[in-house]
Amino acid sequence: MVDLWFSEYHTEDVRFSIKVEPLWSEQTKFQRIDFFRNATFGTFFTLDGFLMMTEKDEFIYHEMICHPAFATNPEIQRVLIIGGGDGGTAREVARYPTVQQIDQVEIDERVVRLCQQYLPQTASVFENEPRLKLHFVDGVEFVKNTPEGTYDLILVDSTDPIGPGEGLFTLEFYRNCYRALTPNGSLINQHESPYYPGDAREMKRAHQKIKATFPIARVYQVFKPTYPSGLRLFGFAAKTLDPVTDFKPELWQQFKLITRYYNTDIHTASFALPTYVQEMLTEDA
Ligand code: SAM
């Protein structure tokens, strides 16, 4: 019996490997998509060799990209999700009855169709959520053409700043997001990871541009086993509402959502960052 392993390289000499049963592979015009199954993490998929989400630990990332924003501004009604083709972020947003409109802008339709087939736990939202509208276009262009003050929340659930995701980490993109947001609006982005040099460089670059664009630019952390070093960051940028000083735990609790990672204690704790990360966020990239 031959064991097959998927490896993601975090540096030249450090990799994360898990034993797999291959399920599907294809090359789209944007990226290579691979689906695998692993006994511990269940079904998962990769894009261009980078692990995106697994059945078993996706709840961590999808709860944490979404709920801190709603606990800071419980009146969010119009949401834009950029990327997020697996549906996990949309699934969490759709849990709020106060949300009236979800625009999801995913550049690669094949990611959505394959996740509907192999990962219904996240992608079934695309079949059963009437408030959600899918747009198979580039998020950079979509935001450029979005009228001022359209959204209360923009969630950038993107790949890394290589390939199609590169444009989602530019000053122009952040400025267009700023314009597209309402006065109480906020932008949450996957903010890479502070540990390995390549990820840390991208995190610093993105943070500098966001800080130059938004008056409030905080970073919070989450621990997810299948991400490089297990430590992942999110950026929380806003025009007026600060996720720590304007946090409204009682109002969030009135939504009575059952979550497995997010809670109002971890909300506050996640914005407390290790010293080395704090220092990185003040350094030039
Ligand atoms: N939500 C997952 C997780 O738990 O980490 C991973 C992120 S999701 C799969 C990343 C998505 O961003 C991919 O489906 C990719 O096609 C999409 N994407 C990359 N660049 C994009 C762009 N410029 N506009 C819209 N979507 C983009």
Side-chain angles (χ1 to χ4, degrees), residues 28 30-31 33 45 47 51-54 57-62 65 81-89 104-112 115 135-142 156-160 162-169 173 190 224 227 232 234:
T28 75
F30 299 103
Q31 54 212 337
I33 309 176
F45 77 103
L47 295 178
L51 197 152
M52 291 291 119
M53 62 156 272
T54 81
D57 71 354
E58 58 86 6
F59 73 95
I60 298 171
Y61 175 94
H62 293 128
I65 195 173
I81 299 169
I82 297 177
D86 50 72
T89 299
Q104 172 129 17
V105 178
E106 164 55 62
I107 201 166
D108 194 342
E109 179 172 3
R110 289 300 294 152
V111 173
V112 170
C115 286
H135 309 259
F136 295 121
V137 294
D138 183 342
V140 178
E141 291 310 306
F142 187 91
V156 184
D157 178 8
S158 71
T159 43
D160 299 328
I162 43 171
E166 191 169 357
L168 302 175
F169 290 78
F173 171 73
Q190 78 85 350
K224 186 167 177 259
Y227 273 151
R232 190 75 169 188
F234 285 105

Side-chain angles (χ1 to χ4, degrees), residues 47-183:
L47 295 178
D48 286 338
F50 291 100
L51 197 152
M52 291 291 119
M53 62 156 272
T54 81
E55 234 179 317
K56 290 291 186 286
D57 71 354
E58 58 86 6
F59 73 95
I60 298 171
Y61 175 94
H62 293 128
E63 287 186 14
M64 286 301 281
I65 195 173
C66 172
H67 302 310
F70 283 85
T72 305
N73 178 8
E75 287 156 23
I76 291 168
Q77 294 182 343
R78 295 188 310 278
V79 181
L80 170 61
I81 299 169
I82 297 177
D86 50 72
T89 299
R91 178 195 65 201
E92 293 303 309
V93 169
R95 299 176 69 188
Y96 290 88
T98 41
V99 167
Q100 293 170 4
Q101 169 193 345
I102 307 169
D103 282 322
Q104 172 129 17
V105 178
E106 164 55 62
I107 201 166
D108 194 342
E109 179 172 3
R110 289 300 294 152
V111 173
V112 170
R113 300 307 172 211
L114 288 166
C115 286
Q116 285 176 301
Q117 184 179 347
Y118 291 104
L119 284 166
Q121 77 182 49
T122 53
S124 58
V125 68
F126 296 127
E127 281 118 43
N128 57 29
E129 180 44 65
R131 295 168 292 173
L132 190 147
K133 188 165 183 309
L134 264 170
H135 309 259
F136 295 121
V137 294
D138 183 342
V140 178
E141 291 310 306
F142 187 91
V143 166
K144 201 183 286 179
N145 303 317
T146 299
E148 186 163 347
T150 305
Y151 296 106
D152 304 302
L153 177 63
I154 298 176
L155 300 170
V156 184
D157 178 8
S158 71
T159 43
D160 299 328
I162 43 171
E166 191 169 357
L168 302 175
F169 290 78
T170 62
L171 203 49
E172 184 204 11
F173 171 73
Y174 294 131
R175 284 182 178 149
N176 283 326
C177 287
Y178 184 95
R179 183 183 43 73
L181 284 166
T182 53

